[in-house]
Amino acid sequence: MDKQRDVAVLIGSLRKDSINRKLANALVQLAPSALKLGFVEIGGLPFYNQDDDANPPIAWTQFRASIKAADAVLFVTPEYNRSVPAALKNALDVGSRPYGQNVWSGKPGAVVSASPSGIGGFGANHHLRQSLVFLNVPAMQQPEAYIGAADKLFDTNGELANDSTRKFLQQFMQAFADWIATNIKS
Ligand code: FNR
Protein backbone atom coordinates (compact mmCIF):
# COMPACT_ATOMS: atom_id res chain seq x y z
CA MET A 1 0.00 0.00 0.00
CA ASP A 2 1.15 3.57 -0.74
CA LYS A 3 1.84 5.78 2.25
CA GLN A 4 -1.38 6.54 4.14
CA ARG A 5 -2.53 10.11 3.50
CA ASP A 6 -4.27 12.42 5.95
CA VAL A 7 -7.37 14.04 4.52
CA ALA A 8 -8.98 17.05 6.21
CA VAL A 9 -12.75 16.85 5.78
CA LEU A 10 -14.68 20.15 5.86
CA ILE A 11 -18.45 20.17 6.07
CA GLY A 12 -20.30 23.20 4.75
CA SER A 13 -23.28 22.81 7.09
CA LEU A 14 -23.20 23.67 10.78
CA ARG A 15 -26.49 22.06 11.78
CA LYS A 16 -26.67 19.02 14.03
CA ASP A 17 -28.82 16.89 11.76
CA SER A 18 -26.99 17.84 8.58
CA ILE A 19 -27.39 15.57 5.57
CA ASN A 20 -23.90 16.59 4.50
CA ARG A 21 -22.44 15.50 7.83
CA LYS A 22 -24.15 12.12 7.46
CA LEU A 23 -22.72 11.90 3.97
CA ALA A 24 -19.25 12.80 5.24
CA ASN A 25 -19.56 10.06 7.89
CA ALA A 26 -20.43 7.60 5.13
CA LEU A 27 -17.40 8.75 3.11
CA VAL A 28 -15.15 8.06 6.11
CA GLN A 29 -16.47 4.49 6.21
CA LEU A 30 -16.17 3.97 2.46
CA ALA A 31 -12.69 5.42 1.99
CA PRO A 32 -9.90 3.01 1.05
CA SER A 33 -7.25 2.28 3.69
CA ALA A 34 -4.79 4.55 1.83
CA LEU A 35 -6.73 7.50 3.26
CA LYS A 36 -7.17 8.60 6.86
CA LEU A 37 -10.01 11.09 7.10
CA GLY A 38 -10.36 13.56 9.96
CA PHE A 39 -12.99 16.28 10.38
CA VAL A 40 -11.81 19.87 10.71
CA GLU A 41 -14.63 21.95 12.18
CA ILE A 42 -15.36 25.40 10.77
CA GLY A 43 -18.29 26.60 12.90
CA GLY A 44 -16.16 28.32 15.54
CA LEU A 45 -14.07 30.43 13.15
CA PRO A 46 -14.57 34.18 13.61
CA PHE A 47 -15.23 36.01 10.33
CA TYR A 48 -12.03 36.74 8.51
CA ASN A 49 -10.91 40.34 9.05
CA GLN A 50 -7.63 41.53 7.61
CA ASP A 51 -7.16 43.87 10.60
CA ASP A 52 -6.50 40.76 12.71
CA ASP A 53 -3.66 39.38 10.55
CA ALA A 54 -1.00 40.59 13.00
CA ASN A 55 -2.79 39.22 16.05
CA PRO A 56 -5.03 36.39 14.86
CA PRO A 57 -7.72 34.69 16.95
CA ILE A 58 -6.54 31.32 18.30
CA ALA A 59 -9.30 29.56 16.35
CA TRP A 60 -7.75 30.81 13.09
CA THR A 61 -4.29 29.67 14.10
CA GLN A 62 -5.51 26.21 15.08
CA PHE A 63 -7.54 25.87 11.91
CA ARG A 64 -4.60 26.88 9.72
CA ALA A 65 -2.38 24.37 11.51
CA SER A 66 -4.94 21.57 10.97
CA ILE A 67 -5.10 22.24 7.24
CA LYS A 68 -1.33 22.59 6.98
CA ALA A 69 -0.90 19.20 8.66
CA ALA A 70 -3.21 17.47 6.19
CA ASP A 71 -2.06 15.98 2.88
CA ALA A 72 -5.36 16.66 1.11
CA VAL A 73 -8.77 18.26 1.58
CA LEU A 74 -12.28 16.94 1.04
CA PHE A 75 -15.24 19.34 0.98
CA VAL A 76 -18.77 18.06 1.63
CA THR A 77 -21.23 20.86 1.30
CA PRO A 78 -24.82 21.94 0.85
CA GLU A 79 -25.78 24.71 -1.53
CA TYR A 80 -27.04 27.97 -0.07
CA ASN A 81 -28.75 30.23 -2.60
CA ARG A 82 -26.92 28.56 -5.48
CA SER A 83 -23.55 29.12 -3.82
CA VAL A 84 -21.22 28.05 -1.01
CA PRO A 85 -22.49 28.48 2.58
CA ALA A 86 -20.89 31.51 4.23
CA ALA A 87 -19.23 29.41 6.95
CA LEU A 88 -17.34 27.41 4.35
CA LYS A 89 -16.34 30.48 2.34
CA ASN A 90 -15.09 32.04 5.58
CA ALA A 91 -12.98 28.93 6.25
CA LEU A 92 -11.46 29.21 2.77
CA ASP A 93 -10.65 32.87 3.41
CA VAL A 94 -9.17 32.25 6.87
CA GLY A 95 -6.91 29.55 5.45
CA SER A 96 -5.80 31.75 2.56
CA ARG A 97 -4.27 34.55 4.62
CA PRO A 98 -2.09 36.37 5.69
CA TYR A 99 -1.05 37.10 2.13
CA GLY A 100 1.60 34.64 0.99
CA GLN A 101 0.72 32.06 3.65
CA ASN A 102 -2.12 30.21 1.93
CA VAL A 103 -2.39 26.87 3.76
CA TRP A 104 -4.48 25.29 0.98
CA SER A 105 -1.82 25.68 -1.66
CA GLY A 106 -0.84 22.47 -3.44
CA LYS A 107 -3.12 20.16 -1.44
CA PRO A 108 -5.11 17.83 -3.68
CA GLY A 109 -8.84 18.30 -3.12
CA ALA A 110 -12.25 16.88 -3.92
CA VAL A 111 -15.76 18.30 -3.68
CA VAL A 112 -19.02 16.52 -2.85
CA SER A 113 -22.25 18.50 -2.74
CA ALA A 114 -25.58 17.22 -1.50
CA SER A 115 -29.10 18.56 -1.45
CA PRO A 116 -32.68 17.33 -1.11
CA SER A 117 -33.22 18.88 -4.55
CA GLY A 118 -32.57 17.16 -7.87
CA ILE A 119 -29.49 19.12 -8.92
CA GLY A 120 -27.50 18.04 -5.89
CA GLY A 121 -25.87 21.36 -5.00
CA PHE A 122 -24.29 21.84 -8.42
CA GLY A 123 -24.07 25.62 -7.93
CA ALA A 124 -22.23 25.35 -4.62
CA ASN A 125 -19.95 22.66 -6.00
CA HIS A 126 -18.83 24.86 -8.88
CA HIS A 127 -18.58 28.12 -6.94
CA LEU A 128 -16.33 26.23 -4.55
CA ARG A 129 -14.24 24.97 -7.45
CA GLN A 130 -13.80 28.57 -8.63
CA SER A 131 -12.19 29.49 -5.29
CA LEU A 132 -10.08 26.33 -5.33
CA VAL A 133 -8.47 27.40 -8.59
CA PHE A 134 -7.23 30.62 -6.98
CA LEU A 135 -6.23 28.81 -3.77
CA ASN A 136 -4.06 26.46 -5.86
CA VAL A 137 -5.93 23.31 -4.82
CA PRO A 138 -5.83 20.76 -7.63
CA ALA A 139 -9.46 19.62 -7.44
CA MET A 140 -10.41 16.21 -8.82
CA GLN A 141 -12.52 16.61 -11.95
CA GLN A 142 -13.99 13.09 -12.27
CA PRO A 143 -16.09 11.60 -10.95
CA GLU A 144 -18.23 14.62 -10.14
CA ALA A 145 -20.42 14.23 -7.05
CA TYR A 146 -23.72 16.09 -7.01
CA ILE A 147 -25.84 14.05 -4.63
CA GLY A 148 -29.53 14.81 -5.23
CA ALA A 149 -32.54 13.70 -3.16
CA ALA A 150 -29.98 13.34 -0.39
CA ASP A 151 -32.60 13.57 2.36
CA LYS A 152 -33.83 10.13 1.26
CA LEU A 153 -30.47 8.36 1.45
CA PHE A 154 -30.12 7.76 5.18
CA ASP A 155 -32.00 5.60 7.65
CA THR A 156 -33.12 6.76 11.10
CA ASN A 157 -29.66 5.94 12.52
CA GLY A 158 -28.03 8.23 9.95
CA GLU A 159 -26.59 5.26 8.02
CA LEU A 160 -26.46 5.23 4.25
CA ALA A 161 -29.36 3.07 3.06
CA ASN A 162 -28.92 3.12 -0.70
CA ASP A 163 -26.70 0.55 -2.41
CA SER A 164 -26.11 2.36 -5.68
CA THR A 165 -25.08 5.55 -3.85
CA ARG A 166 -22.79 3.49 -1.59
CA LYS A 167 -21.12 1.98 -4.65
CA PHE A 168 -20.74 5.39 -6.30
CA LEU A 169 -19.26 6.96 -3.17
CA GLN A 170 -16.84 4.07 -2.77
CA GLN A 171 -15.65 4.59 -6.35
CA PHE A 172 -15.42 8.32 -5.69
CA MET A 173 -13.16 7.80 -2.67
CA GLN A 174 -10.93 5.35 -4.54
CA ALA A 175 -10.60 7.88 -7.37
CA PHE A 176 -9.73 10.54 -4.79
CA ALA A 177 -7.03 8.30 -3.28
CA ASP A 178 -5.57 7.86 -6.78
CA TRP A 179 -5.86 11.62 -7.40
CA ILE A 180 -3.97 12.37 -4.19
CA ALA A 181 -1.24 9.86 -5.02
CA THR A 182 -0.78 11.47 -8.44
CA ASN A 183 -0.95 15.13 -7.38
CA ILE A 184 0.66 15.30 -3.96
CA LYS A 185 3.92 17.27 -3.83
CA SER A 186 5.72 15.38 -1.03
C1 FNR B 1 -30.96 26.15 1.29
N1 FNR B 1 -31.24 25.02 0.52
C2 FNR B 1 -30.90 25.01 -0.82
N2 FNR B 1 -30.90 23.82 -1.55
C3 FNR B 1 -30.51 23.83 -2.84
O1 FNR B 1 -30.48 22.76 -3.47
N3 FNR B 1 -30.11 24.97 -3.45
C4 FNR B 1 -30.07 26.17 -2.81
O2 FNR B 1 -29.67 27.16 -3.40
C5 FNR B 1 -30.48 26.20 -1.44
N4 FNR B 1 -30.45 27.37 -0.72
C6 FNR B 1 -30.57 27.34 0.64
C7 FNR B 1 -30.28 28.48 1.40
C8 FNR B 1 -30.32 28.42 2.77
C9 FNR B 1 -29.93 29.63 3.59
C10 FNR B 1 -30.70 27.22 3.43
C11 FNR B 1 -30.74 27.14 4.95
C12 FNR B 1 -31.02 26.11 2.70
C13 FNR B 1 -31.78 23.81 1.15
C14 FNR B 1 -30.66 22.89 1.60
O3 FNR B 1 -30.22 22.09 0.52
C15 FNR B 1 -31.15 21.97 2.73
O4 FNR B 1 -31.57 22.77 3.84
C16 FNR B 1 -30.09 20.98 3.16
O5 FNR B 1 -30.65 20.06 4.06
C17 FNR B 1 -28.90 21.68 3.80
O6 FNR B 1 -27.85 20.77 4.02
P1 FNR B 1 -27.59 20.08 5.44
O7 FNR B 1 -27.61 21.16 6.49
O8 FNR B 1 -28.72 19.11 5.67
O9 FNR B 1 -26.29 19.40 5.30
Side-chain angles (χ1 to χ4, degrees):
M1 186 181 90
D2 288 339
K3 189 177 163 206
Q4 197 178 41
R5 299 297 185 182
D6 286 313
V7 179
V9 181
L10 288 91
I11 301 168
S13 171
L14 305 184
R15 77 185 184 99
K16 262 197 321 297
D17 213 23
S18 161
I19 297 166
N20 283 273
R21 186 168 288 273
K22 289 175 196 164
L23 186 56
N25 285 331
L27 292 169
V28 170
Q29 290 171 25
L30 295 170
S33 57
L35 302 182
K36 187 166 163 233
L37 276 61
F39 293 103
V40 177
E41 299 299 336
I42 62 172
L45 291 174
F47 277 139
Y48 178 71
N49 180 338
Q50 202 172 347
D51 291 342
D52 297 329
D53 273 356
N55 191 15
I58 184 79
W60 290 5
T61 310
Q62 288 170 344
F63 176 77
R64 289 165 177 160
S66 301
I67 300 301
K68 241 186 210 165
D71 296 308
V73 285
L74 172 64
F75 299 92
V76 186
T77 188
E79 174 175 272
Y80 280 5
N81 300 310
R82 295 285 182 261
S83 187
V84 179
L88 182 54
K89 182 59 167 60
N90 184 51
L92 294 179
D93 296 341
V94 168
S96 71
R97 293 279 158 153
Y99 183 76
Q101 295 176 46
N102 168 19
V103 296
W104 308 103
S105 186
K107 299 198 188 279
V111 179
V112 179
S113 55
S115 168
S117 94
I119 50 177
F122 174 88
N125 192 306
H126 279 259
H127 275 186
L128 178 53
R129 287 172 184 276
Q130 179 170 328
S131 294
L132 295 181
V133 171
F134 188 63
L135 294 171
N136 194 31
V137 171
M140 183 169 74
Q141 292 100 350
Q142 293 292 335
E144 297 156 279
Y146 316 111
I147 312 298
D151 54 329
K152 311 281 191 305
L153 292 177
F154 300 92
D155 66 19
T156 48
N157 297 319
E159 300 289 330
L160 191 58
N162 181 299
D163 285 342
S164 62
T165 303
R166 180 178 300 104
K167 194 168 165 215
F168 169 74
L169 295 176
Q170 205 157 20
Q171 287 166 349
F172 182 91
M173 292 309 292
Q174 182 58 57
F176 187 34
D178 297 344
W179 178 257
I180 293 169
T182 306
N183 288 281
I184 198 157
K185 295 259 165 20
S186 54

